[in-house]
Amino acid sequence: MENIERSVMKKIESGEVRMKSKAYFIAGAILLGFGIGASLLAAAFFANIGFFRVFSAQRFGFRIIVLMITSLSAAVILLKNYDFSYKKDFGWLIGLIVVGVLLFGLLLSRTPINLKVKKVPQFRSLYENGQLPVSVQKRLMIITPKPALELFQPKQQEQLQQSEQPKEQQKLPNEPLEPQQDQEPQQHQEQEPQQNRRMLRPDKR
Amino acid sequence: MKKYQSLSDEKLVEITIKSDKQAYGELVNRYEKKLIRYANYLIKNEAKAADAVQNTFIKGFVNLRSFNKDFKFSSWIYRICHNEAINEAKKYSKEVKGENLIWDLFKGKSEQEPEKVGEREMQAQEVRNCIEKLPMKYKEPVALYYLEEMSYKEVADILRIPTSTVGVRINRGKVILKEILTEP
């Protein structure tokens, strides 16, 4: 067995092994904090969408729950890098975080922020059917293992079938935030030509 | 190197970072045998344990600026060694029986310091004979506490588990050891 001290010191002296700078660790700590913050915010955002859907007489959404749990898990994994994760009772901390995220999500869902976010094309599918935007889905298809994808496939097929149905049937019930009054004249405009056609048919015959 | 012998580990870390890299050699010298002994416990292969310890010291040097002064250097370096040894053990999971450096090292230590042979040493002797049969979950804290003579807090810092859990696992490990000892 080679003398460990000698071989280690040889590598250090030759410059083969170098100490990482302090800036590297500071940047790491900042990124870690940012990652935790972003994961928690994402979890709260998904909870907010779930509650918003519930208030709009829809279901919370299985995918929303999955996304929320994924974000929370990411936050917990990152939090485990801190020393307090094993010094304090981590179970309680996780419980507090989950409750905090749900409460924050609930509060967010009662603010008008969703009216603005819902208009952003990337987020529309999340509000309407609890689904990630198509571009994100495509990326996930590459990295997600096949068994996990199969869980989502039956619902995707259902949605495809739904999309083939007429637009009027696709509209979800009780969407209170859509200005219905504005839509009415458009519907009349669309219906009028059809009525005219029907009326014209007997004459043609 | 003699000028560094009287200094504490933490002071040596400070000197290594600020001025003299040679101070790290003293730290390597202090922990080399202890870490090989501990790594050999987990890997059960002397050569692989030595590789793991060498990697430990290299990683320790590379990340020396991340060392938190609130901790003991021993806990920090043991933690790195623990991770390295676990990774190495996963890679080479084959168990080498009969070849066991730990007992030889421990035997040598006991002979050199006969005044320390006491109750704790007797406990350690008993533990040594049966510790290999313990599940990994209990083996780690029991080995660190009895054979490396560390405190609960140090064991907690190395294994990154609460101090209370360390106590529970050591006690549970002792119960299993007793069961093993009383087996016909």
Side-chain angles (χ1 to χ4, degrees):
Chain A
M1 200 196 316
E2 201 192 343
N3 186 306
I4 291 175
E5 186 188 343
R6 207 183 304 144
S7 68
V8 169
M9 291 314 291
K10 210 165 96 182
K11 282 183 181 175
I12 290 171
E13 280 161 15
S14 66
E16 194 183 327
V17 172
R18 284 179 187 176
M19 233 184 268
K20 281 177 185 165
S21 66
K22 199 157 193 172
Y24 175 89
F25 295 107
I26 293 169
I30 292 168
L31 277 174
L32 182 65
F34 182 78
I36 291 166
S39 312
L40 288 175
L41 270 177
F45 174 68
F46 291 129
N48 148 58
I49 293 175
F51 286 122
F52 180 77
R53 281 166 56 85
V54 170
F55 291 129
S56 310
Q58 295 177 52
R59 280 183 295 178
F60 198 95
F62 171 69
R63 290 185 195 87
I64 298 282
I65 294 171
V66 170
L67 288 169
M68 206 178 78
I69 290 172
T70 309
S71 309
L72 272 172
S73 306
V76 169
I77 290 166
L78 292 175
L79 271 171
K80 280 213 160 192
N81 282 299
Y82 288 104
D83 295 325
F84 63 75
S85 67
Y86 67 91
K87 285 182 177 170
K88 306 285 174 194
D89 194 345
F90 202 50
W92 273 101
L93 188 71
I94 292 172
L96 275 175
I97 287 171
V98 171
V99 171
V101 161
L102 287 173
L103 277 175
F104 188 57
L106 185 65
L107 278 173
L108 264 183
S109 69
R110 307 306 288 165
T111 60
I113 194 168
N114 287 304
L115 296 174
K116 286 178 186 172
V117 180
K118 202 182 172 184
K119 285 174 189 167
V120 180
Q122 282 83 359
F123 293 117
R124 198 174 294 153
S125 57
L126 269 173
Y127 282 92
E128 286 173 358
N129 46 27
Q131 220 171 20
L132 284 169
V134 181
S135 58
V136 180
Q137 275 184 45
K138 277 179 186 170
R139 279 176 204 159
L140 283 175
M141 294 275 268
I142 301 164
I143 56 165
T144 315
K146 226 178 176 182
L149 280 173
E150 280 166 5
L151 277 171
F152 290 83
Q153 269 175 354
K155 288 201 172 179
Q156 282 177 346
Q157 281 171 359
E158 277 173 28
Q159 276 157 8
L160 275 170
Q161 283 169 357
Q162 278 179 358
S163 64
E164 284 167 7
Q165 288 171 357
K167 277 186 180 178
E168 283 175 18
Q169 284 181 16
Q170 267 193 41
K171 284 197 173 177
L172 296 162
N174 301 325
E175 277 195 277
L177 300 161
E178 289 290 330
Q180 288 180 357
Q181 285 178 347
D182 298 343
Q183 286 177 355
E184 278 174 5
Q186 285 178 353
Q187 283 171 359
H188 287 301
Q189 281 171 4
E190 282 172 11
Q191 284 169 1
E192 275 171 12
Q194 284 178 352
Q195 282 170 355
N196 291 338
R197 275 179 215 151
R198 277 177 207 157
M199 287 172 76
L200 285 167
R201 271 176 198 164
D203 298 340
K204 276 191 174 179
R205 280 177 192 171
Chain B
M1 292 290 268
K2 278 184 180 176
K3 60 179 176 178
Y4 294 130
Q5 280 177 355
S6 59
L7 297 175
S8 70
D9 295 346
E10 290 72 25
K11 189 74 195 166
L12 284 172
V13 170
E14 208 179 309
I15 293 168
T16 308
I17 292 169
K18 281 182 183 167
S19 52
D20 188 7
K21 285 173 186 170
Q22 289 297 325
Y24 193 70
E26 174 61 24
L27 286 168
V28 176
N29 189 33
R30 279 183 196 178
Y31 286 97
E32 187 181 331
K33 280 187 179 175
K34 287 178 183 176
L35 292 182
I36 287 178
R37 191 169 60 191
Y38 180 62
N40 196 40
Y41 245 124
L42 305 174
I43 305 171
K44 292 172 187 166
N45 182 311
E46 197 180 329
K48 302 273 181 268
D51 285 347
V53 170
Q54 187 169 324
N55 289 340
T56 300
F57 285 120
I58 288 168
K59 279 195 176 173
F61 181 79
V62 169
N63 298 298
L64 205 60
R65 285 198 172 101
S66 73
F67 169 64
N68 185 348
K69 284 170 189 171
D70 297 339
F71 287 89
K72 286 176 88 172
F73 177 78
S74 60
S75 304
W76 186 73
I77 202 80
Y78 262 92
R79 177 72 200 158
I80 299 172
C81 182
H82 178 84
N83 290 339
E84 282 294 316
I86 293 288
N87 289 341
E88 199 76 22
K90 277 179 189 168
K91 270 192 224 165
Y92 310 97
S93 55
K94 59 176 183 181
E95 290 188 9
V96 184
K97 286 179 181 172
E99 183 189 24
N100 215 334
L101 180 72
I102 173 80
W103 309 135
D104 301 338
L105 281 171
F106 208 87
K107 204 174 160 186
K109 190 187 169 191
S110 303
E111 280 165 3
Q112 283 162 12
E113 301 165 350
E115 70 279 1
K116 281 193 176 178
V117 178
E119 197 183 332
R120 195 177 166 91
E121 189 62 19
M122 279 168 72
Q123 272 183 321
Q125 185 65 44
E126 269 184 39
V127 172
R128 263 178 284 166
N129 295 331
C130 305
I131 206 164
E132 288 235 0
K133 292 175 187 173
L134 281 175
M136 185 64 92
K137 190 178 169 184
Y138 304 112
K139 193 194 281 183
E140 290 166 346
V142 168
L144 287 168
Y145 182 70
Y146 285 109
L147 303 178
E148 303 304 322
E149 299 181 4
M150 288 185 166
S151 67
Y152 275 24
K153 196 186 169 298
E154 283 172 304
V155 178
D157 286 338
I158 292 164
L159 301 178
R160 290 180 76 89
I161 52 176
T163 316
S164 55
T165 311
V166 171
V168 169
R169 285 191 189 173
I170 287 172
N171 285 329
R172 180 77 190 123
K174 270 159 68 178
V175 171
I176 298 171
L177 280 175
K178 271 181 192 172
E179 283 169 9
I180 294 168
L181 278 167
T182 53
E183 268 176 10

